[in-house]
Amino acid sequence: MRVLGILGSPHKDGGSAQLLLSALKAAEKEGAKTEIVSVYDGEIKPCIGCIHNEEPVCKFPCIFDDFGKSILEKINQADGLIFSTPIYWFAPSGPLKILIDRITCLENMISYGEPSYMEGKVVGAIAVGADAGGPWTCGYLITTFTSMGAIIPPWGIAYSYKGNKAIWDDKALMDVINIGLLVIKMIKLLKRGEKSQLTYIDNKNLLNEIRSEVLKELKHIKEFENYGRKTISRGNI
Amino acid sequence: MRVLGILGSPHKDGGSAQLLLSALKAAEKEGAKTEIVSVYDGEIKPCIGCIHNEEPVCKFPCIFDDFGKSILEKINQADGLIFSTPIYWFAPSGPLKILIDRITCLENMISYGEPSYMEGKVVGAIAVGADAGGPWTCGYLITTFTSMGAIIPPWGIAYSYKGNKAIWDDKALMDVINIGLLVIKMIKLLKRGEKSQLTYIDNKNLLNEIRSEVLKELKHIKEFENYGRKTISRGNI
Amino acid sequence: MRVLGILGSPHKDGGSAQLLLSALKAAEKEGAKTEIVSVYDGEIKPCIGCIHNEEPVCKFPCIFDDFGKSILEKINQADGLIFSTPIYWFAPSGPLKILIDRITCLENMISYGEPSYMEGKVVGAIAVGADAGGPWTCGYLITTFTSMGAIIPPWGIAYSYKGNKAIWDDKALMDVINIGLLVIKMIKLLKRGEKSQLTYIDNKNLLNEIRSEVLKELKHIKEFENYGRKTISRGNI
Amino acid sequence: MRVLGILGSPHKDGGSAQLLLSALKAAEKEGAKTEIVSVYDGEIKPCIGCIHNEEPVCKFPCIFDDFGKSILEKINQADGLIFSTPIYWFAPSGPLKILIDRITCLENMISYGEPSYMEGKVVGAIAVGADAGGPWTCGYLITTFTSMGAIIPPWGIAYSYKGNKAIWDDKALMDVINIGLLVIKMIKLLKRGEKSQLTYIDNKNLLNEIRSEVLKELKHIKEFENYGRKTISRGNI
């Protein structure tokens, strides 16, 4: 069970590094093998949007052979990911945003008849600043990753506005420890179960079947609408 | 396995109702018992922020004995929740926001030594408008619910800007069918595993242990910082 | 010059009330006539989305004759608006969201051949909580109001996570004083100028003229693209 | 009157370039001198967060002497800025985010006793994608720039989900033409007035005076609270 910590900060001992290390240490106590990479440790070329070309060529591995590629490979192999970023203008740092753009190549495997390579990974998000902005930053991150097929565990976000003193922010520290524990616990539960069941299905027959059932039911709802304020009436309730 | 659909729209046959029904029908095919409630079907008194009083009295059940209370009880009993809202100014409808404010009483059980009553529920979010705004609306919803302890499944959000024609938006329809399927599949996997493992822990000993480990490791990182750009060096990597 | 303060809190002496009063007092020092209304002071019926009906009937005044109507009238008469809300789950309070939904009737006058009644008003936003979430809440508010035609002055948002102690948060207090001053100063500058120049125009001829110019110029850009990385080449630069 | 267009896209003839050109052409019709720069046209080194050092050294010009520096200089000289970005995962492209991080050096002049160099500039935001996400992207941009002291004109944001066909999206095209017109009209109105009046003031005496007035008034509010639901009572209303 591999958990990859992705640091979005230029400061390796700053608040976001402190909390990321803490989350990973908690994951290790539950048996995770962990690693940290920093988006500031090498060149990550900006995504050039191949996906919008007429013949899309956006697939894993990305066309760029740079430091970003090595991070994408580590992401691909991980069961869980914990992102930790400084809050730069209410959002992840620029280099982390570039990495996120590049992660598109893992998700876009769906255009090649495969599942998203991000599907079923468990993702947590941490943000640290000297001001507010944590919820927006973390909310942005988990919205992006659920849209790529990742799972967000309970209590999947944490933030501190204590900057370099984040390690002394007990509330935030307890929150990130829980992120570490819950990411790994969720991975374990899914391994015992069958993670493969959590794949996105693309099934036109099911789509048409459900659409016709809904259209039929909606007619019924209209008939009952005049009887005043009431919960939608359905057969199985 | 109960999945509750919460409709944020005044229109029972509009786009958000269409997609919510579709998601629930998909969940039913996997064995879910489903129900829909609409936040427009009765009075939901606004939260008056008891939580900020000196002696907080915010706990379940909420002090207000209204239609909102009946929804809160259904939420408490559900294993999964699917929210579907029209996009009103890039956000959930006002009455749905009032319900969310009131859900605080379920989450705030943590102030009484209990787990959040929202913990471990599986939550998906749907938004429909005549314009853009879906990602922001859904991103807001899942950020709120992970912060209450809920789990967001893979592909946990879906949106359409086709308004009343959303049922004919094949991409959105397939997305909401997947939300229905993935909410129930996630519930099943967790039941086979042990959902109780996913609780937030509050453990000062662990907090202090991890903090001292991190502080120790951070010293080590500083020593190595001058050797140029490199990934954080850690013992287990 | 009228500035209306809109309080989104149930607590009339809480942090968001403290900062709203402070902003209004600053505006008064520059000559503003101010007033506060609270969304908790009466019933504001939820917007029922008339705008999506086949024959839209959403116009000012709203069909509902309630406390909300009286606030909408005050909004219509104001030159400036300052919203101040507690942060309930990273967003404005539910009743304030209901008011925002209802403000649609002022904006939607554009469907009746009139300018948005919100156009050219100057809007500031304040958010107060016991946790982070201020930037997201305020960012949401100003995004909504610029989309209705309002102007956001410099430094148009402010937030504190000091809850009931917000009046002692010097940074936030200075920020809201500036909101008060800058809302009124912006109103003054626009009165000296011609606010009516700031209206949205809907001009098909101009649209087609600009489109054809852009299409022509884009051809030119393509020709030069092979010459390597360079700033887009345009005649007037 | 200079308006700088900042393109966040790798595609110089794509949707975001199309709409940016359109906005600039509209501004030119009102007399603006315009220029476009693309964040993909050279290296913009990531911000390394000097601002968080014990002795902050974040000031204009930034320590990095790269392509980003030339953009920062153009930003500094412009009266208005129009950002146009592709929507990459519900947000500005990575290189544009790096530029935003670097703009901190213009804003942070406030730490050196000067006004923010972004203060009083007029800013509009455009986002184009093949999916939704426009409001979130634009909302993020204007929240950031009002926080740096910029002014957001009426109708300051616009978005299209028509991708490469954005130039044929009449609603979006009319919206961006209005951004171009309104940015320049706002600049004109402010020049006739006195833009220098719109500066952030930092005045401890005023702060203390307003705080004591508010504290006094809040006592009064409490006394009247028992008389039922009523708007806050203030002397001048």
Side-chain angles (χ1 to χ4, degrees), chain D:
Chain D
M1 296 172 301
R2 305 182 194 200
V3 177
L4 181 67
I6 297 173
L7 181 61
S9 173
H11 304 299
K12 288 197 170 43
D13 56 356
S16 46
Q18 292 163 13
L19 296 190
L20 180 55
L21 274 170
S22 302
L24 292 182
K25 283 190 178 296
E28 287 164 13
K29 287 186 194 301
E30 286 283 329
K33 186 168 179 314
T34 72
E35 184 177 356
I36 293 188
V37 290
S38 164
V39 295
Y40 275 87
D41 276 351
E43 192 191 18
I44 308 178
K45 290 201 177 71
C47 170
I48 55 166
C50 305
I51 202 170
H52 288 136
N53 293 357
E54 290 191 19
E55 287 187 49
V57 294
C58 179
K59 59 190 292 188
F60 180 76
C62 174
I63 57 170
F64 289 126
D65 187 10
D66 59 358
F67 178 66
K69 186 183 180 181
S70 70
I71 299 186
L72 292 171
E73 277 163 4
K74 287 176 197 292
I75 290 172
N76 189 36
Q77 286 157 21
D79 300 299
L81 302 168
I82 302 179
F83 291 85
S84 187
T85 184
I87 304 166
Y88 284 179
W89 294 110
F90 323 130
S93 70
L96 180 51
K97 181 56 175 53
I98 285 188
L99 178 66
I100 290 167
D101 296 352
R102 291 277 297 276
I103 293 174
T104 306
C105 72
L106 289 161
E107 182 267 346
N108 198 47
M109 297 310 292
I110 55 173
S111 298
Y112 295 85
E114 294 195 46
S116 163
Y117 285 9
M118 295 297 287
E119 197 171 73
K121 294 185 194 296
V122 183
V123 171
I126 301 168
V128 179
D131 185 16
W136 201 353
T137 305
C138 290
Y140 169 71
L141 288 168
I142 65 169
T143 304
T144 295
F145 290 110
T146 189
S147 300
M148 292 182 181
I151 296 161
I152 315 302
W155 317 105
I157 68 173
Y159 38 85
S160 174
Y161 39 79
K162 299 291 185 190
N164 288 333
K165 313 284 186 211
I167 191 78
W168 301 106
D169 179 346
D170 277 15
K171 171 71 169 67
L173 183 54
M174 202 70 240
D175 283 352
V176 299
I177 289 170
N178 274 279
I179 286 180
L181 295 173
L182 290 164
V183 164
I184 190 69
K185 285 175 175 173
M186 180 68 88
I187 292 168
K188 283 184 191 173
L189 289 175
L190 294 173
K191 294 239 164 169
R192 276 190 228 160
E194 291 142 89
K195 191 181 99 168
S196 62
Q197 287 186 23
L198 296 176
T199 204
Y200 186 99
I201 61 149
D202 192 2
N203 181 331
K204 283 285 173 194
N205 289 339
L206 180 60
L207 184 147
N208 287 322
E209 180 186 331
I210 285 184
R211 176 149 55 203
S212 65
E213 287 174 24
V214 168
L215 290 172
K216 196 171 149 196
E217 190 162 322
L218 285 173
K219 273 191 220 158
H220 200 62
I221 285 171
K222 282 188 196 174
E223 289 169 22
F224 283 89
E225 250 188 331
N226 301 322
Y227 293 88
R229 293 185 129 197
K230 56 197 321 255
T231 292
I232 290 171
S233 156
R234 302 191 61 207
N236 68 332
I237 299 170

Side-chain angles (χ1 to χ4, degrees), chain B residues 40 47 89 92 94 101 136 140, chain C residues 40 47 89 94 97 101 136 140:
Chain B
Y40 275 87
C47 169
W89 295 109
D101 296 351
W136 202 354
Y140 168 72
Chain C
Y40 275 87
C47 170
W89 294 108
K97 180 58 175 54
D101 296 351
W136 201 352
Y140 169 73

Side-chain angles (χ1 to χ4, degrees), chain B residues 88-89 92-95, chain C residues 47 96-105:
Chain B
Y88 284 179
W89 295 109
S93 69
Chain C
C47 170
L96 180 51
K97 180 58 175 54
I98 284 188
L99 178 66
I100 290 168
D101 296 351
R102 290 278 298 277
I103 292 175
T104 307
C105 72

